[in-house]
Amino acid sequence: MHSTKATVHVLPIFRLTQVQTLPGNEYLPVNHQINGTKVEYWREIKSLTPTKPLIFPKFPIVLNSDASPWAPAVLWLIDRAKSKPKKLSSLLPVAQGLRDYKVFLDDVGLVWDDFSEIEKLSRPTYLYLTYLQGLVDCGEIEFSTANRRMSTVLGLYRFAQQDHRLAFKPSNPPWVEKAIGLRYRDAQGFYQTKEVITTDLQIKGRSGEDELSDEIYDGGKLRPLPTNEQAVLIRALRTLGNTEFSLMHYLGLTSGAREMTVLTLRIGDFLKQPSTIQTWPFKLSCGPGTQIDTKFDRKKSLIIPQALYRMLHTYCVSDRAKKRRAKSRLGESPHNYVFLTRQGNPYYERKEERNSVRPGAPLRRTSPQGQALREFIKKRVIPEVQKTVPNFHYKFHDTRATFGMNWVDGVMGGDNADIKKYHWALDQLRKLMWHKSTKTTEKYLEYRRRIQHLNSALQGWSSHLVELMEFASIAEKNINDTDVDG
């Protein structure tokens, strides 16, 4: 495994061990040769408790260009895994950020812990900041991407300063810290202030919101689909005839559920006959304790309309779904996923299962996380819709924004003048979309007015420009008509 640059390699299973020179009970023997010399030793598996060894599935390690582990990065990843064993899935993007930093260091010939330069802008952290800022300024990466990479580097050095094995004591500061008062609005809409520690390693730029865009920034750029595009999208899904992918879309459009929630729903929640359910819409608990994933592991209720519940119930008890469950590990258990592939595999493996080691399960470096849904959208749905709407584009997460705007249009009817109604709608939509802050929810209520004002302004200015261009054209024609060769 050799590379000209630093890389990330994912181990299917990582056992934390300690080298021992003598054999012992359940020690792992290691025998190999180095330059013809036999090397033999044993590795003792480390444990959190006497009965719980430190074993991590799908563990990413950062490798140097010569394929050796990059010690500070690997030690930090191990430390994060030990402190948060239920959040191993968060390690891969961290490892990728560390790899990017190591590639940069190697390209410019820097050593990660060399802060001997008196001039601070010549130190590794500041040089990397300048490099990332350049990528943002030329549009090669997003501001959010650069910010995340810089934060990862900060985390690495904070760990290195505390870890006795690395003994990182820089000759000069990697950054300058200062305390600032951060003003924010809490979940109830009240302004609060808290003190936070920040550094001078700040990427300059916008957070990704564009006032000229038809998108809403809700943890990412989301585009609410206009009603005509929604109709064409649903028609395309019917034409394509894939039951599972169609139901996934219907859930997104009618409940606002995120992809991770839709794809980790369990059949046990949809086996009741619709006629036995007393209250509609159906409220489904999601989050910790439910085996249904949510963002930030929040415990929330998903609101499912009666018509959609009937469709999901019909699907769960269908022969099509039963054939898929027959090939799966959980079979007819009520804990099995609603949506399985034809091979009986989940489209999205929930966090707890990704972070566990199951005896007899095949060793894998990756877990399904909605890739098949995204491929279906890219290769099948978008081309089908573009037969009617040529420039159509979307991603599954846009169904969430579409749900939010459909709800706002239905409740407000484009009128935000009624303050009492506005605040009621704001609170209700915040709960429906599981927003922590009303600031995010407000973007949905203000969206129509913002787009209308934007379009009016652009249209007005465009008309003015057209008038100017027409006047210039007439003036130019008159000049040409009176021009004489002189």
Side-chain angles (χ1 to χ4, degrees):
M1 188 191 308
H2 293 284
S3 171
T4 57
K5 290 184 178 293
T7 58
V8 172
H9 181 71
V10 179
L11 300 172
I13 292 290
F14 173 66
R15 293 178 173 88
L16 190 60
T17 63
Q18 182 174 334
V19 173
Q20 299 291 347
T21 57
L22 298 174
N25 186 33
E26 298 185 359
Y27 285 10
L28 301 175
V30 179
N31 293 284
H32 62 98
Q33 288 190 350
I34 299 179
N35 298 326
T37 302
K38 183 178 179 181
V39 177
E40 182 179 19
Y41 59 93
W42 290 262
R43 301 199 69 92
E44 176 190 4
I45 298 178
K46 304 299 291 181
S47 302
L48 283 173
T49 66
T51 59
K52 191 174 182 180
L54 284 168
I55 300 177
F56 306 114
K58 305 178 187 66
F59 187 86
I61 58 174
V62 183
L63 301 178
N64 294 307
S65 58
D66 63 358
S68 63
W70 186 31
V74 174
L75 288 173
W76 187 35
L77 290 168
I78 292 173
D79 184 76
R80 288 175 64 103
K82 289 165 64 177
S83 61
K84 296 182 179 179
K86 292 186 177 181
K87 294 189 176 182
L88 296 180
S89 57
S90 66
L91 293 182
L92 182 56
V94 174
Q96 292 167 338
L98 294 171
R99 173 210 54 204
D100 294 335
Y101 183 50
K102 188 61 169 67
V103 168
F104 165 78
L105 292 174
D106 292 344
D107 285 346
V108 297
L110 294 173
V111 180
W112 75 276
D113 58 353
D114 182 4
F115 284 81
S116 57
E117 289 286 348
I118 300 299
E119 171 56 51
K120 77 173 186 177
L121 295 182
S122 297
R123 300 168 199 163
T125 46
Y126 288 97
L127 287 170
Y128 192 53
L129 174 70
T130 303
Y131 167 73
L132 291 177
Q133 188 67 62
L135 295 180
V136 171
D137 292 343
C138 70
E140 191 168 332
I141 62 174
E142 294 285 342
F143 164 79
S144 58
T145 301
N147 206 34
R148 186 168 56 250
R149 290 183 186 178
M150 197 71 248
S151 295
T152 298
V153 171
L154 281 165
L156 172 68
Y157 283 109
R158 290 189 192 280
F159 166 76
Q161 287 176 321
Q162 299 171 358
D163 188 81
H164 69 278
R165 294 164 297 183
L166 294 173
F168 175 59
K169 292 180 173 51
S171 305
N172 294 289
W175 56 76
V176 177
E177 290 186 347
K178 63 178 179 179
I180 62 170
L182 182 64
R183 192 166 183 256
Y184 68 99
R185 190 150 54 179
D186 61 22
Q188 287 71 42
F190 296 105
Y191 283 102
Q192 305 285 351
T193 301
K194 66 177 179 180
E195 185 178 276
V196 296
I197 302 297
T198 186
T199 75
D200 58 347
L201 296 176
Q202 298 294 321
I203 306 292
K204 295 183 176 68
R206 292 157 60 86
S207 63
E209 297 189 64
D210 183 357
E211 291 301 323
L212 299 179
S213 173
D214 62 349
E215 298 168 317
I216 294 175
Y217 197 83
D218 180 2
K221 295 178 180 178
L222 308 184
R223 186 178 76 91
L225 303 183
T227 52
N228 66 306
E229 291 187 4
Q230 293 179 52
V232 178
L233 172 61
I234 291 174
R235 190 159 62 241
L237 290 169
R238 289 177 178 172
T239 300
L240 294 171
N242 185 290
T243 306
E244 290 77 18
F245 290 131
S246 293
L247 287 172
M248 293 174 196
H249 278 79
Y250 299 160
L251 275 159
L253 289 167
T254 60
S255 71
R258 289 183 170 88
E259 180 184 277
M260 66 173 67
T261 300
V262 170
L263 299 184
T264 56
L265 294 176
R266 304 289 160 157
I267 62 169
D269 294 310
F270 300 99
L271 295 180
K272 282 186 180 180
Q273 287 288 344
S275 58
T276 64
I277 297 176
Q278 302 298 318
T279 305
W280 296 102
F282 181 68
K283 294 183 179 180
L284 176 62
S285 294
C286 303
T290 67
Q291 297 192 327
I292 300 172
D293 278 1
T294 59
K295 188 176 182 180
F296 302 130
D297 293 326
R298 292 175 183 154
K299 187 92 179 260
K300 297 289 183 179
S301 292
L302 190 65
I303 309 301
I304 299 178
Q306 183 176 8
L308 181 58
Y309 179 92
R310 290 181 182 276
M311 296 171 70
L312 291 166
H313 170 76
T314 301
Y315 173 73
C316 286
V317 299
S318 68
D319 289 338
R320 178 185 175 101
K322 288 178 180 178
K323 287 179 182 177
R324 297 187 177 213
R325 291 199 293 271
K327 299 177 183 178
S328 71
R329 180 177 61 86
L330 294 174
E332 287 301 321
S333 166
H335 301 301
N336 207 343
Y337 294 86
V338 169
F339 300 115
L340 296 169
T341 66
R342 282 178 293 183
Q343 292 75 34
N345 299 317
Y347 286 96
Y348 192 108
E349 193 173 48
R350 60 186 295 263
K351 298 172 189 173
E352 190 172 308
E353 294 181 5
R354 292 201 304 269
N355 295 338
S356 64
V357 180
R358 297 190 298 271
L363 299 181
R364 295 180 299 182
R365 291 192 177 94
T366 59
S367 297
Q369 295 182 51
Q371 298 95 325
L373 171 58
R374 291 188 285 277
E375 281 293 302
F376 182 77
I377 288 173
K378 179 181 177 181
K379 295 182 178 179
R380 302 291 304 281
V381 183
I382 291 178
E384 182 65 29
V385 175
Q386 286 179 342
K387 293 177 182 177
T388 305
V389 185
N391 296 321
F392 177 79
H393 66 91
Y394 84 113
K395 52 186 178 294
F396 184 80
H397 207 36
D398 291 338
T399 63
R400 172 174 168 79
T402 304
F403 160 77
M405 283 313 308
N406 286 345
W407 191 90
V408 169
D409 290 344
V411 172
M412 300 300 296
D415 178 21
N416 289 357
D418 188 333
I419 299 300
K420 186 176 180 180
K421 186 177 182 181
Y422 179 92
H423 284 288
W424 176 85
L426 181 67
D427 183 59
Q428 292 300 310
L429 184 60
R430 181 185 66 81
K431 294 174 182 176
L432 285 171
M433 300 195 73
W434 304 355
H435 288 151
K436 186 176 182 180
S437 170
T438 55
K439 186 177 180 180
T440 304
T441 315
E442 277 186 322
K443 296 175 183 178
Y444 288 86
L445 272 74
E446 298 296 332
Y447 178 81
R448 290 283 183 242
R449 182 162 58 184
R450 180 175 69 84
I451 293 298
Q452 183 180 1
H453 289 173
L454 175 63
N455 289 339
S456 297
L458 291 175
Q459 185 176 359
W461 180 242
S462 297
S463 300
H464 178 63
L465 286 176
V466 169
E467 291 176 3
L468 290 175
M469 287 186 287
E470 288 176 345
F471 176 80
S473 178
I474 293 172
E476 184 179 355
K477 183 177 183 300
N478 291 336
I479 291 172
N480 291 332
D481 287 345
T482 58
D483 188 25
V484 291
D485 189 5

